[in-house]
Amino acid sequence: MGYTLLLVAPMTPDSLNVWTQITEAFPPDLPSQPVTTCDCDECRDARANLGRLRWNEVLPPAIDKHFGSLPLLTDDAFRALLPAYLFQPLRNLSGENKFLEWTLYALCAAHDGNDETTARDTDTRLRTRVAAFTEAQRAAVRTFLILASAAPGLKNHRDAIAHALSVLWT
């Protein structure tokens, strides 16, 4: 199945432009195995459902089931499967979209301004994760974050998005 077949719900023109940039930047690579390294139930389930798929083979019900699993993926699986996780938020950029909220948590790290140590540690972890991204992939994520920052109902995420754009996805 090609990624163009996944467009089952209409997107706004802006979302569609971002989606096009994402699909051009991220080849449908098979992530290295295993896609998670923890042996908890959630990680085992993510391995079983996502482990042998390219991002353009992941159907929306799998993302529905694993909407909060993006942070659990290995760095290679995070990069390889990220487009599947970006697709769902682009169909409905709003504060009520749980896919958008959880994807922003994974892309922006912890940034609430209250705990410098936690913010520094999570920034370091995300920088390590982003290091393998190509410039085109980082640019596609930046474009996604810029579009998300303008979405209604995301006032609570704007500082985290601004932080991620200035520090993590450069």
Side-chain angles (χ1 to χ4, degrees):
M1 170 188 287
Y3 56 82
T4 55
L5 296 177
L6 286 177
L7 295 174
V8 293
M11 289 185 184
T12 67
D14 288 339
S15 289
L16 190 54
N17 287 338
V18 172
W19 179 243
T20 299
Q21 184 179 0
I22 290 165
T23 62
E24 290 172 354
F26 288 86
D29 295 333
L30 190 62
S32 59
Q33 301 301 314
V35 297
T36 64
T37 56
C38 176
D39 216 20
C40 72
D41 290 343
E42 186 177 0
C43 286
R44 281 195 310 267
D45 197 37
R47 276 195 303 275
N49 288 281
L50 304 172
R52 303 273 184 237
L53 299 174
R54 292 167 172 80
W55 70 257
N56 63 338
E57 298 168 332
V58 179
L59 297 175
I63 296 300
D64 290 351
K65 182 176 181 179
H66 297 287
F67 71 90
S69 297
L70 189 56
L72 304 175
L73 300 176
T74 63
D75 292 349
D76 182 65
F78 181 88
R79 184 188 50 76
L81 296 172
L82 182 59
Y85 281 86
L86 297 177
F87 173 76
Q88 289 287 45
L90 284 169
R91 294 188 322 171
N92 176 22
L93 285 170
S94 75
E96 286 89 45
N97 187 331
K98 70 180 179 184
F99 303 104
L100 178 58
E101 183 175 6
W102 284 87
T103 301
L104 290 174
Y105 291 144
L107 296 176
C108 297
H111 181 72
D112 61 12
N114 294 329
D115 186 347
E116 273 188 48
T117 303
T118 300
R120 191 172 32 252
D121 291 347
T122 55
D123 282 358
T124 299
R125 172 75 183 113
L126 192 52
R127 274 192 201 98
T128 301
R129 189 164 263 217
V130 170
F133 281 61
T134 67
E135 177 53 39
Q137 291 168 340
R138 286 191 305 277
V141 172
R142 282 192 304 271
T143 304
F144 171 85
L145 290 172
I146 290 167
L147 182 64
S149 71
L154 288 175
K155 181 175 68 170
N156 295 337
H157 293 281
R158 289 206 173 93
D159 287 344
I161 293 170
H163 172 79
L165 286 168
S166 67
V167 175
L168 303 169
W169 291 98
T170 58

